[in-house]
Amino acid sequence: MTANAVSKSKDTIITIVPKSLNNPVFLEAKEEAERTVQKYGAKLEWLGPMNTKSEEQEKIIEGLIRRKVDGIIVSCIAPERLSPLINKAVDAGIKVATFDSDCPNSKRLFYVGTNNYDIGRASGLQMLKILKEKGRLHEPLRALVMTGSRDSLNLNQRLKGFQDALAESANINYQAVLECNDDLTLAGELLETYIRTHDGIDLFFSTGGWPLIAPLDALPKYKQWREEGGLAVAIDTFYPMITAAKNGMADSLVGQDFTMMGRWSVEHMIEAMKGELLGQTEFYTDLEYADRSNFDKLLQRKEPWEIK
């Protein structure tokens, strides 16, 4: 055991519970958490539902409470439903934190991740910048939005931030919110179908990267809509998304730092297990901006994804 080990036992278990296992956006957090935990002599588990279903995530948390793991770090699908279970785990002596999607009304120790209102607002300001450049800032405009789950606090905070930023200077009529349940294939299908069957959409905002991770040839009508002047901003700056944006599928992206989410989640959990005072309950990671001015530069330092 190293000097930084949390205890003499080799069975100290920290379990990270993402929203789903079929969403590749969590891979960077997983890989960094695995690298970080090795320094502390603890064991890391990565358990989650296959799809974004709150009831499945709740069953996982219940199982972890029964097993009496030492720490749980969870990205909450539906915070109001998960809060009683987080409280139950804490009352049972388990250290609980959140990452990516918070549960602020629970007894969780801390949250690590994006300030989700701020990233939504930053996305809205990017859209305002684009509207100004296009000379369309004072037009009445119709918008389409995509989200993962309507129960997800972090995604709702992003949408609120986006809408608040636009409301300051633009006249936007929101036509629909498409709910893809963090499913990449469904995201592409929903977006393509809506653009094919509805006229007059001017703007598209996605609270996550799902539709721009899908193969470009799966979105022919959306691509045509873009070529005809449709404006698009999305959250996340992964390699396939930047590639898609460079190829005309979005004007601007605002990214999150999942690597730091993985690192800080483990480090602060270890500190809590050692009885150290954290001094704060929210640890916000930085934002990253991508547009035509730096697409190539960002692609040079990001790892390609192999999407199957």
Side-chain angles (χ1 to χ4, degrees):
M1 298 293 287
T2 69
N4 291 326
V6 295
S7 72
K8 294 182 180 180
S9 169
K10 294 185 178 180
D11 296 320
T12 298
I13 299 174
I14 300 171
T15 304
I16 298 182
V17 184
K19 287 184 179 181
S20 69
L21 298 180
N22 70 344
N23 189 347
V25 304
F26 292 110
L27 291 178
E28 291 179 5
K30 178 177 183 291
E31 291 171 357
E32 185 64 18
E34 290 171 341
R35 283 189 289 266
T36 303
V37 80
Q38 293 176 5
K39 299 186 296 183
Y40 297 101
K43 178 181 178 182
L44 184 74
E45 297 179 335
W46 187 268
L47 298 176
M50 283 305 301
N51 300 295
T52 308
K53 294 182 179 180
S54 182
E55 58 269 25
E56 296 301 320
Q57 190 176 59
E58 291 159 27
K59 290 178 183 177
I60 290 171
I61 299 298
E62 288 172 344
L64 296 174
I65 294 172
R66 288 194 296 270
R67 288 175 50 206
K68 299 181 180 179
V69 299
D70 300 283
I72 299 171
I73 306 169
V74 55
S75 175
C76 304
I77 297 172
E80 294 303 318
R81 294 181 55 168
L82 207 58
S83 182
L85 283 175
I86 290 177
N87 295 344
K88 180 180 178 181
V90 172
D91 291 342
I94 299 171
K95 305 292 187 185
V96 182
T98 56
F99 83 107
D100 176 60
S101 183
D102 197 9
C103 190
N105 294 324
S106 71
K107 295 180 180 179
R108 61 95 169 121
L109 285 171
F110 62 85
Y111 163 75
V112 172
T114 307
N115 183 316
N116 286 289
Y117 179 85
D118 284 357
I119 197 173
R121 181 171 175 79
S123 301
L125 293 176
Q126 289 297 99
M127 183 64 82
L128 286 176
K129 178 182 176 183
I130 296 163
L131 290 172
K132 186 175 181 179
E133 291 173 350
K134 301 288 186 181
R136 303 186 64 184
L137 186 58
H138 302 295
E139 296 179 19
L141 301 166
R142 289 185 282 184
L144 173 66
V145 171
M146 177 169 286
T147 194
S149 167
R150 293 177 187 267
D151 292 330
S152 290
L153 175 65
N154 64 331
L155 304 182
N156 292 335
Q157 290 171 331
R158 295 176 193 177
L159 179 54
K160 181 67 163 55
F162 180 81
Q163 292 174 324
D164 286 353
L166 283 178
E168 295 175 5
S169 304
N171 180 9
I172 308 296
N173 188 328
Y174 293 90
Q175 301 295 295
V177 177
L178 308 179
E179 187 177 14
C180 72
N181 294 316
D182 288 9
D183 185 308
L184 305 185
T185 301
L186 179 59
E189 292 173 351
L190 290 172
L191 178 57
E192 183 70 4
T193 298
Y194 194 93
I195 294 296
R196 184 186 300 116
T197 56
H198 294 77
D199 295 324
I201 298 299
D202 302 293
L203 314 177
F204 173 63
F205 170 59
S206 183
T207 63
W210 317 283
L212 299 186
I213 298 175
L216 300 185
D217 57 8
L219 300 171
K221 293 300 292 185
Y222 172 79
K223 189 172 189 298
Q224 180 183 342
W225 173 79
R226 285 280 297 149
E227 292 170 349
E228 293 173 353
L231 307 176
V233 172
I235 287 177
D236 286 329
T237 51
F238 299 110
Y239 188 96
M241 293 186 65
I242 297 175
T243 300
K246 181 182 176 181
N247 284 291
M249 304 298 270
D251 296 283
S252 179
L253 308 173
V254 184
Q256 307 175 80
D257 193 337
F258 279 93
T259 297
M260 290 308 300
M261 286 189 212
R263 183 184 309 167
W264 285 354
S265 292
V266 170
E267 288 179 345
H268 294 313
M269 178 58 73
I270 295 294
E271 291 171 3
M273 288 178 170
K274 293 165 68 175
E276 298 179 10
L277 295 177
L278 299 180
Q280 62 192 84
T281 57
E282 284 87 25
F283 298 89
Y284 292 133
T285 51
D286 292 336
L287 304 183
E288 179 177 69
Y289 293 84
D291 58 28
R292 62 182 180 274
S293 70
N294 66 345
F295 285 150
D296 289 330
K297 182 178 180 180
L298 290 173
L299 287 172
Q300 289 175 4
R301 67 176 180 80
K302 289 183 178 285
E303 291 294 328
W305 283 9
E306 186 175 341
I307 303 297
K308 298 181 181 180

